[in-house]
Amino acid sequence: MTKDTVTITNNATGEVAEFALSRGTVGIPAVDIGTLNKELGVFTFDPGFMSTASCKSAITYIDGDKGVLLYRGYPIEQLAAKSSFVEVAYLLMNGELPTEFELLSFKDEIRHHSMIHEALRVFFNGFHYDAHPMSMMVGVMGSLSAFYHSELDMNDPEHRRISAMRMVAKVPTIAAACYRHSVGWPFVYPRLDLGYCENFMNMMFSLPSQKYVDKNNYIDPVTIKALNLLFILHADHEQNASTSTVRLASSTGANPYACVAAGISALWGPAHGGANEAVLAMLAEIGTVDRIPEFIAKAKDKNDPFRLMGFGHRVYKNFDPRATITRETCHEVLAKFPSDDPLFELALALEEYALKDEYFIEKKLYPNVDFYSGIIYKALKIPEDMFTVMFVIARTAGWVSHWMEMMSEPGQRIGRPRQIYTGNDVRDYVVESDR
Ligand code: CMC
């Protein structure tokens, strides 16, 4: 027996087998149980992946107890303070920070791919005016494969790279088009002279009759700084539900646009990326500070499905480092764009109340990144049903990075979990007249 193994005994049969520990650079080792069924005749059962690593990855590391988040080894706090979203996207996709020249070329390539095909633009007319932008995102992202089928050989590294670049470059254009369709405004083409975030805001809000600029003829720098920051914080988060969905779909060999569309669908849920929209809906429902105790009681009531949106995390059990950063930015943005909207005051009061409550302390439920991101987006005049779409723009960089990492590894196997069958045992068919 070596130190780097775990021994498992099947008490039902008396069989014993040893399994190797698989260690990463840092973090908790995993027991490699790939041969468990062969050796001991059993499967593992772990719905929700509470103790299961689904892959090896060199992209993002989280230590939930210490509140650590690293992209390619760089602490999120340093990237948030010093980097830009496009540089972070390069880092995630390529593994290293770019040189000045590499960053310029990357930006150029993103600009070059930011247009969408005119035929794709017409797709939006098929959506009802009140379609949720996320439903349009799923459909339009998935349909991109129809336009680039000559570059879908996933064994070709250049095809993989160009597919990933296309998604990162086009996702803000598609996102803004979803919004413009919902408000009936004309579509705005991307501009080559603008940066990633400036371009997105211009595509969202400029009108044929009005430029999207402040009184100094600039796109407001506080807005752009906040957007860059939120996109950086949301860019990747290791094997979360949407990234795992992208990986599972990719394991079948499906094309990357279809896989990312699957990731967008998974992100939409209120337990995941839909939380930022749900936080605002919850704050509107609470309405006033005096109703906070009533809603805290609902969140604690096991017979009530209500949960405090923007609180809790599967991995972070002390604090979410992204929430610490967004809280500061939230103050900065609200100082720049003062509003008499009582939402922010309500959010802070709710946070304070919950953090002192025994239930939340005992269960280690802290505000997560989405508690504040929705409030920042609201202050930037992003409509609430676009909040999760904003998450999509940022997370696309993470999804394509995981997809490229996975597809470049030899010996890919289809992801195929097993189950514990709880249905009927074998029984004979009964003809309709005898049932
Ligand atoms: N409000 C009230 N109770 C909660 C909450 C909450 N927000 N979150 C967890 N709990 C309770 C839960 O009822 C359970 O209690 P018990 O042990 O008595 O059954 C306990 O805390 C553990 O919860 P869990 O559901 O087993 O934890 P999980 O790791 O499966 O779920 C979560 C994590 C994020 C889905 C969950 O905390 C939640 O639903 N939060 C609200 C939605 C949210 O803000 N999501 C955004 C996550 S951050 C952005 C992202 O990564 O997408």
Side-chain angles (χ1 to χ4, degrees), residues 50 237 270-273 275 299 302 306-314 317 320 322 359-360 363 365 368-370 391:
M50 299 299 289
H237 215 224
H272 192 7
K302 285 278 152 258
F306 176 78
R307 279 189 168 197
L308 221 49
M309 286 293 128
F311 274 76
H313 199 273
R314 169 62 62 81
K317 296 300 176 196
D320 177 343
R322 304 168 303 169
Y359 172 94
F360 286 86
K363 293 191 186 302
L365 299 169
N368 57 50
V369 63
D370 287 326
F391 200 154

Side-chain angles (χ1 to χ4, degrees), residues 379-393:
L380 301 183
K381 306 265 183 298
I382 305 285
E384 282 169 38
D385 61 1
M386 284 292 290
F387 289 1
T388 314
V389 172
M390 303 298 283
F391 200 154
V392 169
I393 297 176

Side-chain angles (χ1 to χ4, degrees), residues 14-66:
E15 286 171 303
V16 179
E18 233 180 73
F19 300 92
L21 283 182
S22 190
R23 289 185 191 276
T25 333
V26 273
I28 302 173
V31 187
D32 184 344
I33 46 94
T35 56
L36 183 74
N37 179 29
K38 206 165 114 199
E39 305 234 19
L40 296 181
V42 291
F43 292 131
T44 53
F45 178 57
D46 185 17
F49 296 90
M50 299 299 289
S51 298
T52 300
S54 60
C55 63
K56 289 184 179 174
S57 176
I59 301 174
T60 291
Y61 174 71
I62 302 173
D63 183 329
D65 292 328
K66 296 191 185 132

Side-chain angles (χ1 to χ4, degrees), residues 219-277:
I219 297 183
D220 189 274
V222 173
T223 302
I224 299 310
K225 189 177 159 213
L227 263 194
N228 257 304
L229 183 103
L230 287 176
F231 285 172
I232 290 172
L233 298 182
H234 280 115
D236 195 43
H237 215 224
E238 55 121 293
Q239 306 312 319
N240 55 83
S242 56
T243 303
S244 299
T245 302
V246 171
R247 279 187 177 259
L248 192 59
S250 309
S251 79
T252 69
N255 76 68
Y257 305 102
C259 297
V260 168
I264 297 175
S265 307
L267 187 79
W268 196 354
H272 192 7
N276 52 13
E277 188 180 339

